[in-house]
Amino acid sequence: MTDPILTALAFLCLFAAALPAVLTAVNLCALRRPAPVADPDLVSILIPARNEAGNIAGTVRAALASTAVPIEVIVGDDHSTDGTAEIVRGLGDARLRVVPVPPLPEGWTGKNHACAHIAGLADGRHLLFIDADVRLEPEAAASLVAHARRAGAALVSGVPRQRTETLGEILTVPMIDFLLIGFLPVPLMRRRPDPALGAACGQLILFERAAYAAIGGHGAIRGFLHDGVRLPRLLRAAGYRTDLVAGAGLATCRMYRGFGEAWAGFSKNAHEGMATPRALPIWTVLLGCGQILPPLLVLAGLLGLIPPLALTASAAACALSLVTRAAITLAVRAPLATIPLHPAAVLVALAIQWNVLLRGGRAGAATWKGRTYPVSGA
């Protein structure tokens, strides 16, 4: 490869690293933990649960500890075989109900069906959906409701602080925050109603009940897996506002336990995210040039394999990439190990997406919690 081409590649990497660096700086200023305000309206905390015996007690206790707003907690037991429902019943609180989810109808995915069922039983003006492995902070519900009122938003969401306890989790889970903070222009999202700018984290979503009902709730996305993408876009298309807040101080979550579970979990949603023939090549160029290639080019420069100008541009790109990851890591309280491992984490994320896109026979079906679903149109 000639020197001009190597230099051009290095500057392409610098541009690709600068884009998320600038967006991260803007977004970290825009995303704040909302302040709680006492509110008299009931909040329904809704928890779909399928074989969550190891998580559900802590999740429900944290939800019941909510302050500043009246709450009810409804757990939808989705045909668990591990005693999930019995554990919830044993907690014994008048504000708590555990209800069986009916058999899964054809054409529905499990979480959407469970969420739709328990939403129909809720009495609150606001519906707060959380996953069964999410631990709310006491002021979380009140904070989300207060922000929804201040922003006039029908949906408010945030990414909980992600607990990662193994190397495999550190190599996969922190990419959620990196992609959201590094590539979604939050101020533009707040100014423009464009549905394509809608985003949420399915682990923690607060809806205004009337708006949720108006778009058909989870029934409107019954055959899809990625509620964090689909529901905010439907609301925006119907003329409602959606918003994001800093969620690391509102809740914690350990999504997966180990690399295998994380690989399967992220593969499950891939076709409704990056793993499409149109989107994935673009993401590969952006992430590959901005996050993976710079340290490799710096190494090549130190070995005298690329010209000095290319080395300078590559070093700047590498520094921007790691500073961006460090800023996000500190903001979301992720382990510091995510910083030096960042290029490897990006490589793993792209490998997951390409595996799903190219291996349509095996990776093209989503399997989760003992259920397998055909891939929905992206």
Side-chain angles (χ1 to χ4, degrees):
M1 196 177 290
T2 64
D3 285 359
I5 294 176
L6 287 169
T7 301
L9 177 61
F11 275 95
L12 174 62
C13 290
L14 180 57
F15 173 79
L19 174 63
V22 171
L23 281 174
T24 294
V26 172
N27 288 341
L28 289 181
C29 292
L31 291 171
R32 294 280 186 248
R33 174 181 174 175
V37 176
D39 195 293
D41 288 327
L42 181 70
V43 177
S44 298
I45 301 177
L46 307 176
I47 309 171
R50 178 174 169 85
N51 291 331
E52 294 287 356
N55 289 314
I56 197 65
T59 296
V60 171
R61 287 193 184 101
L64 290 170
S66 298
T67 60
V69 289
I71 62 156
E72 64 172 355
V73 178
I74 305 177
V75 177
D77 177 40
D78 191 5
H79 303 270
S80 298
T81 58
D82 64 351
T84 294
E86 290 75 13
I87 292 171
V88 177
R89 292 189 190 99
L91 297 178
D93 191 295
R95 300 167 296 166
L96 172 64
R97 284 183 280 166
V98 57
V99 298
V101 175
L104 183 65
E106 185 176 355
W108 284 78
T109 55
K111 180 181 176 182
N112 288 334
H113 181 240
C115 286
H117 179 69
I118 55 181
L121 304 175
D123 295 322
R125 177 172 178 177
H126 287 91
L127 310 178
L128 176 54
F129 291 93
I130 64 172
D131 284 354
D133 48 11
V134 170
R135 305 291 194 272
L136 294 175
E137 294 297 321
E139 296 179 339
S143 297
L144 291 167
V145 170
H147 185 83
R149 292 193 185 279
R150 284 192 294 263
L155 176 154
V156 177
S157 182
V159 181
R161 182 174 69 85
Q162 302 296 317
R163 290 175 49 221
T164 51
E165 299 182 8
T166 68
L167 177 61
E169 293 165 65
I170 293 173
L171 284 172
T172 51
V173 175
M175 283 300 294
I176 297 172
D177 288 299
F178 179 76
L179 292 173
L180 182 68
I181 297 173
F183 290 93
L184 176 69
V186 172
L188 184 64
M189 177 268 292
R190 288 174 174 168
R191 286 198 299 270
R192 293 187 55 184
D194 187 349
L197 294 171
C201 176
Q203 299 168 352
L204 181 70
I205 307 183
L206 179 89
F207 291 93
E208 198 276 321
R209 181 192 182 94
Y212 175 84
I215 64 164
H218 283 82
I221 59 165
R222 65 190 62 190
F224 293 95
L225 289 158
H226 212 322
D227 53 343
V229 171
R230 299 285 172 176
L231 288 172
R233 292 183 177 182
L234 283 178
L235 283 165
R236 284 173 162 258
Y240 295 98
R241 292 174 61 89
T242 70
D243 205 355
L244 290 166
V245 298
L250 300 178
T252 61
C253 175
R254 187 178 182 193
M255 288 182 69
Y256 304 121
R257 283 165 169 75
F259 183 74
E261 194 172 303
W263 181 282
F266 286 113
S267 297
K268 170 173 62 75
N269 293 334
H271 270 297
E272 295 174 22
M274 293 164 57
T276 68
R278 180 180 298 178
L280 190 51
I282 297 172
W283 279 109
T284 301
V285 171
L286 281 173
L287 293 172
C289 289
Q291 315 301 321
I292 298 172
L293 273 180
L296 299 178
L297 289 174
V298 168
L299 178 60
L302 294 176
L303 295 174
L305 301 177
I306 65 174
L309 184 58
L311 174 58
T312 300
S314 300
C318 189
L320 275 177
S321 171
L322 293 179
V323 166
T324 302
R325 176 69 263 183
I328 295 172
T329 294
L330 294 174
V332 303
R333 307 183 206 174
L336 294 180
T338 60
I339 302 170
L341 290 173
H342 177 63
V346 176
L347 184 61
V348 169
L350 288 174
I352 291 172
Q353 303 299 316
W354 278 108
N355 180 60
V356 171
L357 181 62
L358 297 178
R359 296 175 67 240
R362 292 186 179 181
T367 300
W368 194 246
K369 295 285 186 180
R371 290 169 172 156
T372 298
Y373 310 104
V375 173
S376 303

